[in-house]
Amino acid sequence: KKRLFSGIQPSGEVHIGNYLGAIKNWVGMIDRYDCIFCIVDYHAITVEYDPKEMQNRIINAAAVNIAAGLDPNKCILFVQSHVPEHTELAWILNTVTPMGHLERMTQFKDKAKQHRDNINAGLFTYPVLQAADILVYKAEAVPIGEDQVQHIELAREIARKFNSRYGEIFPDPKEILSDAPRIMGIDGKTKMSKSRDNYISLVESSESIWKKLSTAVTDENRKRRTDPGNPEICNLFTLHKHYSSIEQIERINRECRTAEIGCVECKKILYENIIKALSPIREKYEELIKDKHSIIDILHEGAKKCKNMAEITMAEVRRQMGLT
Ligand code: TYM
């Protein structure tokens, strides 16, 4: 089996953008690949956070992912900082990564704009740690959302630079996109994101989901109930495509254009379908989170396996670099 690696930051609640863009794909690939999934706490600390909250965030992220289908008997789930080889390799990879490449990263530019008072070096070298995450396990498949593609391209370049300088160690990691690589936030303006309050969490209560959907932006040209709408530019229609039945999607596509169906009714249909899809995940999550120790055990078990693999790669890397 080919090895697959992907990661998620414990920087807030896991949302349906993460799910449709990445996690759903992870679950679908779990039997075909040798899968490693990582909760990347060292990435999450590149922006300000509350240290008192971090442990819970990590455990929640693990529980949500397991509830969403990452069966720990079929894949490895672990926490990045439990395997120090990630940061060790990141340092080494820093030395083969051109500054100019990092300066071109759009996520860095966006985050630097968002966090003007804390543009730290970690934020800048973030993609190098991401490359180390993947390469330390020699993973070849990396399922991600669209916003991470540039980082995987860079990981590929870093692998090639290392190989050409020190000898072939790393395979080329390739990104794998889902059928929903970029889910927009319910504000309809930017992509759904943990750091902006424009998401629907995977374990959100029904009331809260309705509150968010009822105020969500639709086709802004449709000001009155009697105005015809255009589903193609309606953000919620995209969500219908992932949560509603073919009949419902066809009906909405037709009746929105003729103003037969109004936004409120359309939102109600979406609401019912999202609830139906999310409630098994939420129930499973609520069950799992009652026993945090079991989750911690799963994460430690995962880290042990990863550490063994990572140590082997690091020994090879050091040998090739003359660092024995
Ligand atoms: P993170 O935590 O921001 O997101 C986790 C995954 O969810 C995807 N995603 C989305 N997909 C579609 N629409 C959206 N609105 C949306 N928002 C997020 C992301 O693309 C991602 O796949 N740097 C990474 C974590 C990481 C990683 C890695 C990933 C660290 N090391 C190594 C792959 C390989 C990140 O911040 O993901």
Side-chain angles (χ1 to χ4, degrees), residues 7 9 17-18 21 43 126 130 133 144-145 147-148 181 183 192 194:
Q9 293 196 63
N18 297 130
H43 278 118
Y126 178 117
Q130 184 161 349
D133 294 340
I144 40 143
D147 59 346
Q148 296 301 316
I183 294 290
M192 189 172 285
K194 295 180 200 110

Side-chain angles (χ1 to χ4, degrees), residues 39 58 62 77-79 82 295-303:
I39 296 167
I58 291 170
L77 184 64
F78 78 110
V79 181
H82 292 181
I295 294 172
I296 293 171
D297 285 347
I298 289 169
L299 294 172
H300 281 148
E301 215 34 59

Side-chain angles (χ1 to χ4, degrees), residues 80-140:
Q80 188 183 36
S81 66
H82 292 181
V83 182
E85 282 75 9
H86 289 237
T87 36
E88 201 181 348
L89 182 58
W91 175 256
I92 289 170
L93 297 182
N94 266 329
T95 65
V96 297
T97 307
M99 290 273 284
H101 286 26
L102 293 175
E103 277 159 5
R104 282 204 288 277
M105 294 293 121
T106 56
Q107 185 171 300
F108 169 70
K109 289 192 255 182
D110 288 348
K111 285 201 176 168
K113 250 185 246 156
Q114 253 180 300
H115 306 275
R116 270 182 214 285
D117 45 350
N118 182 21
I119 306 177
N120 60 76
L123 205 54
F124 188 63
T125 59
Y126 178 117
V128 182
L129 178 57
Q130 184 161 349
D133 294 340
I134 301 164
L135 299 178
V136 83
Y137 304 107
K138 302 188 177 183
E140 292 175 87

Side-chain angles (χ1 to χ4, degrees), residues 5-11 15-23 26 38 40 43 80 107 111 126 129-131 133-134 142-148 151-152 178 180-185 191-194:
F5 184 97
S6 202
I8 185 163
Q9 293 196 63
S11 55
H15 53 68
I16 60 174
N18 297 130
Y19 183 76
L20 296 172
I23 301 167
W26 301 351
C38 184
V40 293
H43 278 118
Q80 188 183 36
Q107 185 171 300
K111 285 201 176 168
Y126 178 117
L129 178 57
Q130 184 161 349
D133 294 340
I134 301 164
V142 189
I144 40 143
E146 192 183 72
D147 59 346
Q148 296 301 316
H151 289 169
I152 310 309
S178 78
R182 184 183 162 87
I183 294 290
M184 294 296 281
K191 76 169 183 185
M192 189 172 285
S193 146
K194 295 180 200 110

Side-chain angles (χ1 to χ4, degrees), residues 40 50-51 76 97 115 141 169 196 200 202 208 212 220 238 254 280 296:
V40 293
D50 181 356
I76 298 179
T97 307
H115 306 275
I169 290 189
R196 299 192 183 87
I200 292 175
L202 267 193
S208 170
K212 288 186 180 171
E220 286 184 295
T238 317
R254 214 172 38 242
I296 293 171

